[in-house]
Coordinates of all heavy atoms in Angstrom, one line a residue:
M267 N 55.4 16.8 -43.7 CA 54.1 16.2 -43.8 C 53.8 15.4 -42.5 O 54.7 14.8 -41.9 CB 54.2 15.2 -44.9 CG 52.9 15.2 -45.8 SD 52.8 13.9 -46.9 CE 53.2 14.6 -48.4
S268 N 52.6 15.5 -42.0 CA 52.2 14.8 -40.8 C 51.7 13.4 -41.1 O 51.2 13.1 -42.2 CB 51.1 15.6 -40.0 OG 49.9 15.5 -40.8
D269 N 51.9 12.5 -40.1 CA 51.5 11.1 -40.2 C 50.0 11.0 -40.1 O 49.4 11.5 -39.1 CB 52.2 10.3 -39.1 CG 51.8 8.9 -39.1 OD1 51.2 8.4 -40.1 OD2 52.1 8.2 -38.1
P270 N 49.3 10.4 -41.0 CA 47.8 10.3 -41.0 C 47.3 9.6 -39.7 O 46.3 9.9 -39.2 CB 47.4 9.6 -42.2 CG 48.5 9.6 -43.1 CD 49.7 9.9 -42.3
A271 N 48.1 8.7 -39.2 CA 47.7 7.9 -38.0 C 47.7 8.8 -36.7 O 47.1 8.5 -35.7 CB 48.6 6.7 -37.8
S272 N 48.4 9.9 -36.8 CA 48.5 10.8 -35.6 C 47.4 11.8 -35.5 O 47.3 12.5 -34.6 CB 49.9 11.5 -35.6 OG 49.9 12.4 -36.7
R273 N 46.6 11.9 -36.6 CA 45.5 12.8 -36.6 C 44.4 12.3 -35.6 O 44.1 11.2 -35.5 CB 44.9 13.0 -38.0 CG 45.8 13.6 -38.9 CD 45.1 13.8 -40.2 NE 46.1 14.0 -41.3 CZ 45.9 13.7 -42.5 NH1 44.7 13.3 -42.9 NH2 46.8 13.9 -43.4
T274 N 43.8 13.3 -34.9 CA 42.7 12.9 -34.0 C 41.3 13.0 -34.7 O 41.2 13.9 -35.6 CB 42.6 13.8 -32.8 OG1 42.5 15.1 -33.2 CG2 43.9 13.6 -32.0
T275 N 40.5 12.1 -34.4 CA 39.1 12.2 -34.9 C 38.2 12.8 -33.9 O 38.2 12.5 -32.8 CB 38.6 10.7 -35.2 OG1 39.6 10.1 -36.1 CG2 37.3 10.7 -35.9
P276 N 37.4 13.8 -34.4 CA 36.4 14.4 -33.4 C 35.5 13.4 -32.9 O 35.0 12.5 -33.6 CB 35.7 15.5 -34.2 CG 36.4 15.6 -35.5 CD 37.3 14.4 -35.7
R277 N 35.2 13.5 -31.6 CA 34.3 12.5 -31.0 C 33.2 13.3 -30.2 O 33.5 14.3 -29.7 CB 35.1 11.6 -30.0 CG 36.0 10.7 -30.7 CD 36.7 9.8 -29.7 NE 37.6 9.0 -30.5 CZ 38.8 8.5 -30.0 NH1 39.2 8.9 -28.8 NH2 39.6 7.8 -30.8
T278 N 32.1 12.7 -30.2 CA 30.9 13.2 -29.4 C 30.6 12.2 -28.3 O 30.5 11.0 -28.5 CB 29.7 13.4 -30.3 OG1 30.0 14.2 -31.4 CG2 28.6 14.0 -29.5
F279 N 30.5 12.7 -27.1 CA 30.2 11.9 -25.9 C 28.8 12.2 -25.4 O 28.4 13.4 -25.4 CB 31.2 12.2 -24.8 CG 32.6 11.7 -25.1 CD1 33.5 12.6 -25.6 CD2 33.0 10.4 -24.9 CE1 34.8 12.2 -26.0 CE2 34.3 10.0 -25.2 CZ 35.2 10.9 -25.7
G280 N 28.1 11.2 -25.1 CA 26.8 11.4 -24.5 C 26.8 11.1 -23.0 O 27.4 10.0 -22.6
F281 N 26.3 11.9 -22.2 CA 26.3 11.6 -20.7 C 24.9 11.1 -20.3 O 23.9 11.6 -20.8 CB 26.7 12.9 -19.9 CG 28.1 13.3 -20.2 CD1 28.4 14.2 -21.2 CD2 29.1 12.7 -19.5 CE1 29.7 14.6 -21.5 CE2 30.5 13.1 -19.8 CZ 30.7 14.0 -20.8
V282 N 24.9 10.2 -19.4 CA 23.6 9.6 -19.0 C 23.6 9.6 -17.5 O 24.6 9.4 -16.8 CB 23.6 8.1 -19.4 CG1 22.3 7.4 -18.9 CG2 23.7 8.0 -20.9
N283 N 22.4 10.0 -16.9 CA 22.2 9.9 -15.5 C 21.6 8.6 -15.1 O 20.7 8.1 -15.8 CB 21.2 11.0 -15.1 CG 21.8 12.4 -15.1 OD1 23.0 12.5 -14.7 ND2 21.0 13.4 -15.4
W284 N 22.2 8.0 -14.1 CA 21.7 6.7 -13.6 C 21.2 6.9 -12.2 O 21.8 7.6 -11.4 CB 22.8 5.7 -13.7 CG 23.2 5.3 -15.0 CD1 24.2 5.9 -15.8 CD2 22.7 4.2 -15.8 NE1 24.3 5.2 -17.0 CE2 23.4 4.2 -17.0 CE3 21.7 3.2 -15.6 CZ2 23.1 3.3 -18.0 CZ3 21.5 2.3 -16.6 CH2 22.1 2.3 -17.8
T285 N 20.3 6.1 -11.8 CA 19.8 6.0 -10.4 C 19.8 4.5 -10.0 O 19.3 3.7 -10.8 CB 18.4 6.6 -10.3 OG1 18.4 7.9 -10.7 CG2 17.8 6.5 -8.9
L286 N 20.2 4.3 -8.8 CA 20.1 2.9 -8.2 C 18.9 2.9 -7.3 O 18.7 3.7 -6.4 CB 21.4 2.6 -7.4 CG 21.5 1.3 -6.8 CD1 21.5 0.2 -7.8 CD2 22.7 1.2 -5.9
R287 N 18.0 1.9 -7.6 CA 16.8 1.9 -6.8 C 16.4 0.4 -6.6 O 16.8 -0.5 -7.3 CB 15.6 2.5 -7.6 CG 15.2 1.8 -8.9 CD 14.0 2.4 -9.5 NE 13.6 1.8 -10.8 CZ 13.0 0.7 -11.0 NH1 12.7 -0.1 -10.0 NH2 12.8 0.2 -12.2
P288 N 15.6 0.2 -5.5 CA 15.1 -1.2 -5.3 C 14.4 -1.7 -6.6 O 13.6 -0.9 -7.2 CB 14.2 -1.1 -4.1 CG 14.6 0.1 -3.4 CD 15.1 1.1 -4.5
D289 N 14.6 -2.9 -6.9 CA 13.9 -3.5 -8.1 C 12.5 -4.0 -7.7 O 12.4 -5.0 -7.0 CB 14.7 -4.7 -8.6 CG 14.3 -5.2 -10.0 OD1 13.2 -4.8 -10.4 OD2 15.0 -5.9 -10.6
L290 N 11.5 -3.3 -8.1 CA 10.1 -3.6 -7.7 C 9.3 -4.1 -8.9 O 8.1 -4.3 -8.8 CB 9.4 -2.4 -7.1 CG 10.1 -1.8 -5.9 CD1 9.4 -0.5 -5.5 CD2 10.2 -2.7 -4.8
D291 N 10.0 -4.4 -10.0 CA 9.4 -4.9 -11.2 C 8.8 -6.3 -10.9 O 9.3 -7.0 -10.0 CB 10.4 -5.0 -12.4 CG 10.8 -3.6 -12.8 OD1 10.1 -2.6 -12.5 OD2 11.9 -3.5 -13.4
D292 N 7.8 -6.7 -11.7 CA 7.1 -8.0 -11.5 C 8.1 -9.1 -11.7 O 7.9 -10.2 -11.0 CB 6.0 -8.1 -12.5 CG 4.8 -7.2 -12.2 OD1 4.7 -6.7 -11.1 OD2 4.0 -6.9 -13.1
D293 N 9.1 -9.0 -12.5 CA 10.0 -10.1 -12.7 C 11.3 -10.0 -11.8 O 12.2 -10.8 -12.0 CB 10.5 -10.2 -14.2 CG 11.2 -8.9 -14.7 OD1 11.1 -7.9 -14.0 OD2 11.8 -9.0 -15.7
A294 N 11.3 -9.1 -10.9 CA 12.4 -9.0 -10.0 C 12.5 -10.2 -9.0 O 11.5 -10.8 -8.7 CB 12.3 -7.7 -9.1
P295 N 13.7 -10.6 -8.6 CA 13.8 -11.6 -7.6 C 13.2 -11.2 -6.3 O 13.1 -10.0 -6.1 CB 15.4 -11.8 -7.5 CG 16.0 -11.1 -8.6 CD 15.0 -10.1 -9.1
P296 N 12.7 -12.1 -5.5 CA 12.1 -11.7 -4.3 C 13.1 -11.2 -3.2 O 14.3 -11.5 -3.3 CB 11.5 -13.0 -3.8 CG 12.3 -14.1 -4.3 CD 12.8 -13.6 -5.7
T297 N 12.6 -10.4 -2.3 CA 13.5 -10.0 -1.2 C 13.5 -11.2 -0.3 O 12.5 -11.8 0.0 CB 12.8 -8.8 -0.5 OG1 12.8 -7.7 -1.4 CG2 13.6 -8.4 0.8
L298 N 14.7 -11.5 0.2 CA 14.9 -12.7 1.0 C 15.3 -12.3 2.4 O 16.1 -11.4 2.6 CB 15.9 -13.7 0.4 CG 15.6 -14.2 -1.0 CD1 16.8 -15.1 -1.5 CD2 14.3 -15.1 -0.9
H299 N 14.8 -13.1 3.4 CA 15.2 -12.8 4.8 C 15.8 -14.1 5.4 O 15.3 -15.2 5.1 CB 13.9 -12.5 5.6 CG 13.1 -11.3 5.0 ND1 13.3 -10.0 5.5 CD2 12.2 -11.3 4.0 CE1 12.5 -9.2 4.8 NE2 11.8 -10.0 3.9
S300 N 16.7 -13.9 6.3 CA 17.2 -15.0 7.1 C 17.7 -14.4 8.4 O 17.9 -13.2 8.5 CB 18.4 -15.7 6.3 OG 19.5 -14.9 6.1
F301 N 17.9 -15.3 9.3 CA 18.5 -14.9 10.6 C 19.7 -15.7 10.9 O 19.8 -16.8 10.5 CB 17.4 -15.2 11.8 CG 16.4 -14.1 11.9 CD1 15.3 -14.0 11.2 CD2 16.7 -13.0 12.8 CE1 14.3 -13.0 11.4 CE2 15.8 -12.0 13.0 CZ 14.6 -12.0 12.3
R302 N 20.6 -15.1 11.6 CA 21.8 -15.8 12.1 C 22.0 -15.5 13.6 O 21.7 -14.4 14.1 CB 23.0 -15.5 11.3 CG 23.5 -14.1 11.3 CD 24.7 -13.9 10.4 NE 25.1 -12.5 10.3 CZ 25.9 -11.9 11.1 NH1 26.6 -12.6 12.1 NH2 26.2 -10.6 11.0
C303 N 22.5 -16.5 14.3 CA 22.7 -16.4 15.7 C 24.0 -15.7 15.9 O 25.1 -16.0 15.4 CB 22.7 -17.8 16.3 SG 23.0 -17.8 18.1
L304 N 24.0 -14.7 16.8 CA 25.2 -13.9 17.2 C 25.8 -14.3 18.5 O 26.8 -13.7 18.9 CB 24.8 -12.4 17.2 CG 24.3 -11.8 15.9 CD1 23.9 -10.3 16.2 CD2 25.3 -11.9 14.8
T305 N 25.2 -15.2 19.2 CA 25.6 -15.6 20.5 C 27.0 -16.2 20.5 O 27.3 -17.0 19.6 CB 24.6 -16.6 21.2 OG1 23.3 -16.0 21.2 CG2 25.0 -16.9 22.6
L306 N 27.8 -15.8 21.4 CA 29.2 -16.3 21.6 C 29.1 -17.6 22.4 O 28.4 -17.7 23.4 CB 30.1 -15.3 22.2 CG 30.4 -14.0 21.4 CD1 31.3 -13.1 22.3 CD2 31.0 -14.4 20.1
T307 N 29.9 -18.6 22.0 CA 29.9 -19.9 22.7 C 31.0 -19.8 23.8 O 31.6 -18.7 24.0 CB 30.3 -21.0 21.8 OG1 31.6 -20.7 21.2 CG2 29.2 -21.1 20.6
E308 N 31.1 -20.9 24.6 CA 32.1 -20.9 25.7 C 33.5 -20.5 25.3 O 34.2 -19.9 26.1 CB 32.1 -22.3 26.4 CG 30.8 -22.8 26.9 CD 29.8 -23.3 25.9 OE1 30.3 -23.9 24.8 OE2 28.6 -23.2 26.0
N309 N 33.9 -20.8 24.1 CA 35.3 -20.5 23.7 C 35.3 -19.1 22.9 O 36.3 -18.9 22.1 CB 35.9 -21.6 22.9 CG 35.1 -22.0 21.7 OD1 34.1 -21.4 21.4 ND2 35.6 -22.9 20.9
D310 N 34.3 -18.3 23.1 CA 34.3 -17.0 22.5 C 34.2 -17.0 20.9 O 34.7 -16.0 20.3 CB 35.4 -16.1 22.9 CG 35.1 -15.4 24.3 OD1 33.9 -15.4 24.7 OD2 36.1 -14.9 24.9
T311 N 33.7 -18.0 20.4 CA 33.5 -18.0 18.9 C 32.0 -17.9 18.7 O 31.1 -18.3 19.5 CB 34.0 -19.3 18.3 OG1 33.3 -20.4 18.9 CG2 35.5 -19.5 18.4
A312 N 31.6 -17.3 17.6 CA 30.2 -17.1 17.3 C 29.5 -18.5 17.0 O 30.1 -19.3 16.4 CB 30.0 -16.2 16.1
C313 N 28.3 -18.6 17.4 CA 27.5 -19.8 17.1 C 27.4 -20.0 15.6 O 27.6 -21.1 15.1 CB 26.1 -19.7 17.7 SG 24.9 -20.9 17.2
A314 N 27.1 -18.9 14.9 CA 27.0 -18.9 13.4 C 25.9 -19.8 12.8 O 25.9 -20.0 11.6 CB 28.4 -19.3 12.8
A315 N 25.0 -20.3 13.6 CA 23.9 -21.0 13.1 C 23.0 -20.0 12.3 O 22.9 -18.8 12.7 CB 23.0 -21.7 14.1
A316 N 22.5 -20.4 11.2 CA 21.7 -19.5 10.3 C 20.5 -20.2 9.7 O 20.6 -21.4 9.4 CB 22.6 -18.9 9.3
S317 N 19.4 -19.5 9.5 CA 18.3 -20.0 8.8 C 18.5 -20.0 7.3 O 19.4 -19.3 6.8 CB 17.0 -19.2 9.1 OG 17.1 -17.9 8.6
E318 N 17.8 -20.8 6.6 CA 17.8 -20.7 5.1 C 17.0 -19.4 4.7 O 16.1 -19.0 5.4 CB 17.1 -21.9 4.5 CG 17.8 -23.2 4.7 CD 19.1 -23.2 3.9 OE1 19.2 -22.7 2.8 OE2 20.1 -23.7 4.5
P319 N 17.4 -18.8 3.6 CA 16.7 -17.6 3.1 C 15.3 -17.9 2.7 O 15.0 -19.0 2.2 CB 17.5 -17.1 1.9 CG 18.9 -17.8 2.1 CD 18.6 -19.0 2.8
S320 N 14.4 -17.0 3.0 CA 13.0 -17.1 2.6 C 12.4 -15.8 2.3 O 12.8 -14.8 2.9 CB 12.2 -17.8 3.8 OG 10.8 -17.8 3.5
A321 N 11.4 -15.8 1.4 CA 10.7 -14.6 1.1 C 9.7 -14.2 2.3 O 9.3 -13.0 2.3 CB 9.9 -14.7 -0.2
D322 N 9.5 -15.1 3.2 CA 8.5 -14.9 4.3 C 9.3 -14.6 5.6 O 9.9 -15.6 6.1 CB 7.6 -16.1 4.5 CG 6.6 -15.9 5.6 OD1 6.6 -14.8 6.2 OD2 5.9 -16.9 5.9
P323 N 9.4 -13.4 6.1 CA 10.2 -13.1 7.2 C 9.7 -13.8 8.5 O 10.5 -14.1 9.4 CB 10.2 -11.6 7.4 CG 9.1 -11.1 6.5 CD 8.8 -12.2 5.5
A324 N 8.4 -14.0 8.6 CA 7.8 -14.7 9.7 C 8.4 -16.2 9.9 O 8.6 -16.7 11.0 CB 6.3 -14.8 9.6
E325 N 8.6 -16.8 8.7 CA 9.2 -18.1 8.7 C 10.6 -18.1 9.4 O 10.9 -19.0 10.2 CB 9.3 -18.7 7.3 CG 9.8 -20.1 7.2 CD 9.8 -20.5 5.7 OE1 8.8 -20.2 5.0 OE2 10.8 -21.1 5.3
Q326 N 11.4 -17.1 9.1 CA 12.7 -17.0 9.7 C 12.7 -16.6 11.2 O 13.5 -17.0 12.0 CB 13.5 -16.0 8.9 CG 13.6 -16.4 7.4 CD 13.8 -17.9 7.2 OE1 14.6 -18.5 7.8 NE2 13.0 -18.4 6.3
Q327 N 11.7 -15.9 11.6 CA 11.5 -15.6 13.0 C 11.2 -16.8 13.8 O 11.7 -17.0 14.9 CB 10.4 -14.5 13.2 CG 10.8 -13.1 12.7 CD 9.7 -12.2 12.7 OE1 8.6 -12.4 13.1 NE2 9.9 -11.0 12.1
S328 N 10.4 -17.7 13.2 CA 10.1 -19.0 13.8 C 11.4 -19.8 14.0 O 11.6 -20.5 15.0 CB 9.1 -19.8 13.0 OG 7.9 -19.2 12.9
W329 N 12.3 -19.7 13.0 CA 13.6 -20.4 13.1 C 14.4 -19.9 14.3 O 14.9 -20.7 15.1 CB 14.4 -20.2 11.8 CG 15.8 -20.8 12.0 CD1 16.2 -22.1 11.7 CD2 17.0 -20.1 12.5 NE1 17.5 -22.2 12.0 CE2 18.0 -21.1 12.6 CE3 17.2 -18.9 13.0 CZ2 19.3 -20.8 13.0 CZ3 18.5 -18.6 13.5 CH2 19.5 -19.5 13.5
A330 N 14.4 -18.6 14.6 CA 15.1 -18.0 15.7 C 14.5 -18.6 17.0 O 15.3 -18.9 17.9 CB 15.0 -16.5 15.7
F331 N 13.2 -18.7 17.1 CA 12.6 -19.2 18.3 C 12.9 -20.7 18.5 O 13.2 -21.1 19.6 CB 11.0 -19.0 18.3 CG 10.6 -17.6 18.7 CD1 10.3 -16.7 17.8 CD2 10.6 -17.3 20.1 CE1 9.9 -15.4 18.2 CE2 10.2 -16.0 20.5 CZ 9.8 -15.1 19.5
D332 N 12.9 -21.4 17.4 CA 13.3 -22.9 17.5 C 14.7 -23.0 17.9 O 15.0 -23.9 18.7 CB 13.0 -23.5 16.1 CG 11.6 -23.7 15.8 OD1 10.7 -23.6 16.7 OD2 11.3 -23.9 14.6
H333 N 15.6 -22.2 17.4 CA 17.0 -22.3 17.7 C 17.2 -21.9 19.2 O 18.0 -22.6 19.9 CB 17.8 -21.3 16.9 CG 19.3 -21.4 17.1 ND1 20.1 -22.4 16.7 CD2 20.1 -20.5 17.8 CE1 21.3 -22.2 17.1 NE2 21.4 -21.0 17.7
M334 N 16.5 -21.0 19.7 CA 16.6 -20.6 21.2 C 16.0 -21.7 22.0 O 16.6 -22.0 23.1 CB 15.9 -19.3 21.5 CG 16.2 -18.8 22.9 SD 15.2 -17.5 23.5 CE 13.6 -18.3 23.5
R335 N 15.0 -22.4 21.6 CA 14.4 -23.5 22.4 C 15.5 -24.6 22.5 O 15.6 -25.2 23.6 CB 13.2 -24.1 21.7 CG 11.9 -23.2 22.0 CD 10.7 -23.9 21.5 NE 9.6 -22.9 21.3 CZ 9.3 -22.3 20.1 NH1 10.0 -22.7 19.0 NH2 8.4 -21.4 20.1
R336 N 16.2 -24.9 21.5 CA 17.3 -25.9 21.5 C 18.5 -25.4 22.3 O 19.3 -26.2 22.8 CB 17.7 -26.3 20.1 CG 16.6 -27.1 19.4 CD 17.1 -27.7 18.0 NE 17.7 -26.7 17.2 CZ 17.0 -25.9 16.3 NH1 15.7 -26.0 16.3 NH2 17.6 -25.0 15.6
N337 N 18.7 -24.1 22.3 CA 19.9 -23.5 22.9 C 19.4 -22.3 23.7 O 19.5 -21.1 23.3 CB 20.9 -23.0 21.9 CG 21.3 -24.1 20.9 OD1 22.1 -24.9 21.2 ND2 20.6 -24.1 19.8
P338 N 18.9 -22.5 25.0 CA 18.2 -21.4 25.7 C 19.1 -20.1 26.0 O 18.6 -19.0 26.1 CB 17.9 -22.0 27.0 CG 17.8 -23.5 26.7 CD 18.8 -23.7 25.6
E339 N 20.4 -20.3 25.9 CA 21.3 -19.2 26.2 C 21.6 -18.4 24.9 O 22.2 -17.3 25.0 CB 22.7 -19.7 26.8 CG 23.5 -20.5 25.8 CD 23.1 -21.9 25.7 OE1 22.1 -22.4 26.2 OE2 23.8 -22.6 24.9
H340 N 21.1 -18.8 23.8 CA 21.3 -18.1 22.5 C 20.1 -17.1 22.3 O 19.1 -17.5 21.8 CB 21.4 -19.1 21.3 CG 22.6 -20.0 21.4 ND1 23.2 -20.5 20.2 CD2 23.4 -20.4 22.4 CE1 24.3 -21.2 20.6 NE2 24.4 -21.1 21.9
T341 N 20.4 -15.9 22.7 CA 19.3 -14.9 22.6 C 19.6 -13.7 21.7 O 18.9 -12.7 21.7 CB 19.0 -14.4 24.0 OG1 20.3 -13.8 24.6 CG2 18.5 -15.5 24.9
S342 N 20.7 -13.7 21.0 CA 21.1 -12.6 20.1 C 21.2 -13.0 18.7 O 21.8 -14.0 18.3 CB 22.5 -12.1 20.6 OG 22.9 -11.0 19.8
Y343 N 20.5 -12.3 17.8 CA 20.3 -12.6 16.4 C 20.5 -11.4 15.5 O 20.3 -10.3 15.9 CB 18.9 -13.2 16.1 CG 18.7 -14.5 16.9 CD1 18.3 -14.5 18.2 CD2 19.1 -15.7 16.3 CE1 18.1 -15.7 18.9 CE2 18.9 -16.9 17.0 CZ 18.5 -16.9 18.3 OH 18.4 -18.1 19.0
A344 N 20.8 -11.7 14.3 CA 20.8 -10.6 13.2 C 20.0 -11.0 12.1 O 20.0 -12.2 11.7 CB 22.3 -10.4 12.7
E345 N 19.2 -10.1 11.6 CA 18.4 -10.4 10.4 C 19.2 -10.0 9.2 O 19.8 -8.9 9.2 CB 17.1 -9.6 10.4 CG 16.3 -9.9 9.1 CD 15.0 -9.1 9.1 OE1 14.8 -8.1 9.7 OE2 14.1 -9.5 8.3
V346 N 19.3 -10.9 8.2 CA 20.0 -10.6 7.0 C 19.0 -10.5 5.9 O 18.2 -11.4 5.7 CB 21.0 -11.8 6.7 CG1 21.8 -11.5 5.4 CG2 22.0 -12.0 7.8
I347 N 19.0 -9.4 5.2 CA 18.0 -9.1 4.1 C 18.7 -9.0 2.8 O 19.7 -8.2 2.7 CB 17.2 -7.8 4.4 CG1 16.5 -7.9 5.8 CG2 16.2 -7.5 3.3 CD1 15.8 -6.6 6.2
E348 N 18.3 -9.7 1.8 CA 18.8 -9.6 0.5 C 17.7 -9.0 -0.4 O 16.7 -9.7 -0.7 CB 19.2 -11.0 -0.1 CG 19.8 -10.9 -1.4 CD 20.3 -12.2 -1.9 OE1 21.0 -13.0 -1.2 OE2 20.0 -12.6 -3.1
R349 N 17.9 -7.7 -0.8 CA 16.9 -7.0 -1.6 C 17.5 -6.7 -3.0 O 18.6 -6.2 -3.1 CB 16.6 -5.7 -0.9 CG 15.6 -4.8 -1.6 CD 15.2 -3.6 -0.7 NE 14.4 -4.1 0.4 CZ 14.7 -3.9 1.7 NH1 15.8 -3.3 2.0 NH2 13.9 -4.3 2.6
P350 N 16.8 -7.1 -4.0 CA 17.3 -6.8 -5.4 C 17.2 -5.3 -5.7 O 16.2 -4.6 -5.3 CB 16.4 -7.6 -6.3 CG 15.1 -7.8 -5.5 CD 15.5 -7.8 -4.1
W351 N 18.3 -4.8 -6.3 CA 18.3 -3.4 -6.8 C 18.6 -3.4 -8.2 O 19.1 -4.4 -8.8 CB 19.4 -2.7 -6.0 CG 19.1 -2.4 -4.6 CD1 19.0 -3.3 -3.6 CD2 18.8 -1.2 -4.0 NE1 18.7 -2.7 -2.4 CE2 18.6 -1.4 -2.6 CE3 18.8 0.1 -4.5 CZ2 18.3 -0.3 -1.7 CZ3 18.5 1.2 -3.6 CH2 18.2 0.9 -2.2
V352 N 18.3 -2.3 -8.9 CA 18.5 -2.2 -10.3 C 18.9 -0.8 -10.6 O 18.6 0.2 -10.0 CB 17.2 -2.5 -11.1 CG1 16.1 -1.6 -10.8 CG2 17.4 -2.7 -12.6
M353 N 19.8 -0.7 -11.7 CA 20.2 0.7 -12.2 C 19.1 1.1 -13.2 O 18.7 0.4 -14.0 CB 21.6 0.6 -12.9 CG 22.7 0.4 -11.9 SD 23.0 1.9 -11.1 CE 24.6 1.6 -10.4
W354 N 18.7 2.4 -13.0 CA 17.7 2.9 -13.8 C 18.3 4.1 -14.6 O 18.8 5.0 -14.1 CB 16.5 3.4 -12.9 CG 15.4 4.0 -13.7 CD1 15.1 5.3 -13.9 CD2 14.3 3.2 -14.3 NE1 13.9 5.4 -14.6 CE2 13.4 4.1 -14.8 CE3 14.0 1.9 -14.4 CZ2 12.3 3.7 -15.5 CZ3 12.9 1.5 -15.0 CH2 12.0 2.4 -15.6
R355 N 18.2 4.0 -15.9 CA 18.7 5.0 -16.8 C 17.6 6.1 -17.1 O 16.6 5.8 -17.5 CB 19.2 4.4 -18.1 CG 19.8 5.4 -19.1 CD 20.2 4.7 -20.3 NE 20.7 5.7 -21.3 CZ 21.2 5.4 -22.4 NH1 21.4 4.2 -22.8 NH2 21.6 6.4 -23.2
H356 N 18.0 7.3 -16.8 CA 17.1 8.4 -17.0 C 17.0 8.7 -18.5 O 18.1 8.7 -19.2 CB 17.5 9.7 -16.3 CG 17.4 9.5 -14.8 ND1 16.3 9.9 -14.1 CD2 18.2 9.0 -13.9 CE1 16.4 9.6 -12.8 NE2 17.6 9.0 -12.7
Q357 N 15.9 9.1 -19.0 CA 15.7 9.5 -20.4 C 16.1 10.9 -20.6 O 15.8 11.7 -19.7 CB 14.3 9.2 -20.9 CG 13.9 7.7 -20.9 CD 14.8 6.9 -21.7 OE1 15.1 7.2 -22.8 NE2 15.2 5.7 -21.2
G358 N 16.6 11.3 -21.7 CA 16.8 12.8 -22.0 C 18.3 13.1 -21.7 O 19.1 12.3 -21.3
P359 N 18.6 14.4 -21.8 CA 20.0 14.8 -21.6 C 20.4 14.7 -20.1 O 19.5 14.9 -19.2 CB 20.0 16.2 -22.1 CG 18.6 16.7 -22.1 CD 17.7 15.5 -22.2
A360 N 21.7 14.6 -19.9 CA 22.2 14.5 -18.5 C 22.3 15.9 -18.0 O 22.5 16.8 -18.6 CB 23.5 13.8 -18.5

């Protein structure tokens, strides 16, 4: 006699297709922009000064100009963009 606990139960699996896309829904968080200074200092360490994130990229560009006015040798920057993304489940069979 076989042990009832060792019997397998038939299972059905459903497969789903997913897509990762930028979240453009009305309730999505805003895309945020910031700049950070890449200029190396006298001791070869990065300046690392950075603007606060903002939804307005022009505001952050102004920060870069202000930073350069205070530090004329600081002329290298990186823009950091935080864009919300969402997984989108496709309807129907995979």
